[in-house]
Amino acid sequence: MSDIGGIVDSLEVKFQKLTKKLESLQQTNEGLLIKLSHSEKIMQSQSQEIKELKANSDSIKITNSLLGSDEYKRDTKLKINSLIREIDYCIAQLSD
């Protein structure tokens, strides 16, 4: 009978240790989830900033080419031609 009592006591101690370990891991997990959420917000912010910077860069390239810079003239001409084709398509759709 004393063997069973010792086994039960041993199991209780192990169960308490496991419970404490579980609580510790849950707290660690919560901390990691908060860090992950924060990191995702930072990534979204940086992604949006990159998109804005690329748009600004494209605008600057077009502006430079319109102001006489030879470096981006080809890109500007292609963009203008694309816009003209879109306008022509719209006019054709309206005339139908």
Side-chain angles (χ1 to χ4, degrees):
M1 192 72 179
S2 67
D3 290 335
I4 294 176
I7 292 172
V8 169
D9 289 340
S10 174
L11 286 174
E12 285 179 3
V13 169
K14 288 180 182 181
F15 181 74
Q16 288 174 354
K17 286 181 182 179
L18 284 174
T19 303
K20 287 181 183 179
K21 182 71 172 177
L22 176 64
E23 290 173 2
S24 171
L25 289 174
Q26 286 175 336
Q27 289 175 352
T28 303
N29 190 31
E30 288 175 12
L32 290 173
L33 288 173
I34 291 170
K35 286 182 181 181
L36 176 64
S37 174
H38 181 68
S39 296
E40 287 174 345
K41 288 178 184 176
I42 290 173
M43 280 181 30
Q44 288 175 346
S45 171
Q46 289 175 342
S47 176
Q48 182 63 30
E49 185 177 352
I50 288 171
K51 288 178 185 177
E52 290 172 3
L53 290 173
K54 284 182 179 180
N56 287 342
S57 174
D58 291 341
S59 296
I60 290 172
K61 287 177 185 178
I62 291 171
T63 303
N64 282 339
S65 67
L66 293 174
L67 292 175
S69 174
D70 291 333
E71 189 174 344
Y72 301 110
K73 266 190 181 175
R74 182 177 182 279
D75 291 338
T76 305
K77 286 180 182 179
L78 291 174
K79 181 70 175 173
I80 290 171
N81 286 338
S82 172
L83 291 171
I84 290 172
R85 280 193 296 276
E86 286 182 31
I87 291 170
D88 288 342
Y89 177 76
C90 290
I91 292 172
Q93 291 294 319
L94 289 173
S95 65
D96 287 342

